């Protein structure tokens, strides 16, 4: 059985989608062994506890010093020794200490086309508003490897989404999220099992 660690900060809809796909076998022979979050009150933490998935809170309140933070994270990941680390709405930059150890073993899903709608501050509704404001014809769900910079790692998969004439940031966000839930498990399965 392969193990994955998921990092999530918010409600955790992608985390829940990944979990369901491990149960159904769409992500073959794989289990989520740990959820790491910076937000102890997040929906992702509540879901993990409901499903008896181990959780680990990693934030500045617990680890105010960068060295302590990095050491705690490395120790926790070493305990689990995951085949893949999956970011699912995680709002913190992964330290270079971690990205260097787990090179090409950490992936992220981004709700826009990279590099056009990526980087610091480009997350969630900020991405969708920028897409609508810029008046582009297409956006994308982008899955990429994680390095020490926001949204700069090598792209693994890009799923194009056409902007409709009547799209708002809100309507686009719903369609993009639906595509994320469909595509992320497929890419995870491919990386782990092909």
């Amino acid at each position: 059985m392969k193990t994955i660690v998921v990092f999530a900060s918010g409600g955790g809809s992608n985390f829940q989608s990944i979990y369901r796909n491990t149960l159904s076998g769409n992500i073959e022979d794989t289990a989520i062994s740990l959820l790491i979050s910076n937000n102890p009150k997040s929906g992702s933490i509540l879901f993990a506890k409901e499903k008896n998935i181990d959780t680990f809170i990693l934030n500045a309140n617990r680890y105010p010093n960068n060295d302590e933070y990095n050491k705690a994270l490395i120790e926790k990941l070493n305990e689990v020794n995951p085949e893949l680390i999956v970011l699912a709405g995680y709002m913190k930059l992964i330290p270079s200490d971690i990205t260097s150890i787990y090179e090409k073993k950490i992936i992220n899903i981004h709700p826009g086309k990279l590099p056009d709608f990526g980087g610091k501050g480009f997350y969630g509704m900020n991405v969708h508003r920028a897409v609508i404001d810029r008046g582009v014809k297409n956006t994308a769900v982008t899955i990429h490897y994680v390095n020490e910079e926001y949204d700069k790692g090598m792209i693994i998969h890009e799923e194009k989404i056409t902007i409709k004439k009547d799209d708002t940031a809100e309507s686009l966000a719903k369609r993009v999220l639906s595509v994320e839930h469909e595509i992320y498990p497929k890419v995870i399965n491919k990386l782990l099992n092909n």
Side-chain angles (χ1 to χ4, degrees):
M1 182 75 70
K2 298 174 191 75
T3 59
I4 58 178
V5 170
V6 177
F7 283 60
S9 294
S13 71
N14 268 307
F15 167 48
Q16 292 176 37
S17 171
I18 293 162
Y19 173 78
R20 284 192 300 273
N21 278 276
T22 62
L23 291 186
S24 70
N26 290 332
I27 302 175
E28 302 163 44
D29 191 35
T30 301
I32 298 171
S33 55
L34 178 67
L35 172 78
I36 294 177
S37 183
N38 59 308
N39 180 359
K41 295 180 180 171
S42 68
S44 52
I45 287 286
L46 296 174
F47 182 80
K49 288 182 176 174
E50 274 175 27
K51 302 301 179 188
N52 294 315
I53 298 167
D54 284 342
T55 61
F56 183 64
I57 304 301
L58 186 73
N59 61 25
N61 292 339
R62 274 187 86 177
Y63 303 99
N65 173 297
N66 273 349
D67 290 338
E68 286 175 21
Y69 180 100
N70 292 352
K71 184 173 180 251
L73 182 52
I74 290 167
E75 283 175 4
K76 197 66 185 175
L77 290 171
N78 285 344
E79 278 175 30
V80 177
N81 193 26
E83 269 83 9
L84 193 65
I85 296 169
V86 178
L87 307 190
Y90 190 65
M91 295 295 141
K92 297 290 181 187
L93 189 65
I94 303 297
S96 59
D97 291 6
I98 309 303
T99 59
S100 61
I101 294 169
Y102 289 94
E103 187 177 358
K104 292 212 172 152
K105 283 191 160 190
I106 309 173
I107 64 171
N108 182 47
I109 191 161
H110 185 74
K113 184 171 174 50
L114 293 177
D116 303 4
F117 295 98
K120 191 168 173 114
F122 276 94
Y123 60 88
M125 289 304 290
N126 293 351
V127 174
H128 306 306
R129 284 187 200 103
V131 166
I132 296 297
D133 290 349
R134 208 174 294 173
V136 295
K137 292 188 170 140
N138 300 296
T139 186
V141 169
T142 309
I143 299 167
H144 63 94
Y145 287 112
V146 173
N147 62 18
E148 64 282 353
E149 295 181 74
Y150 283 113
D151 304 326
K152 296 283 180 145
M154 185 181 90
I155 292 172
I156 302 165
H157 182 86
E158 182 184 277
E159 192 75 16
K160 193 168 103 172
I161 298 168
T162 303
I163 307 298
K164 296 177 178 176
K165 284 182 182 174
D166 60 348
D167 260 332
T168 62
E170 290 73 20
S171 67
L172 181 60
K174 284 181 187 166
R175 288 195 299 118
V176 166
L177 190 60
S178 171
V179 171
E180 288 182 27
H181 292 169
E182 181 186 337
I183 297 304
Y184 214 9
K186 289 179 182 175
V187 171
I188 291 166
N189 186 58
K190 192 172 179 183
L191 290 172
L192 289 171
N193 294 302
N194 285 348

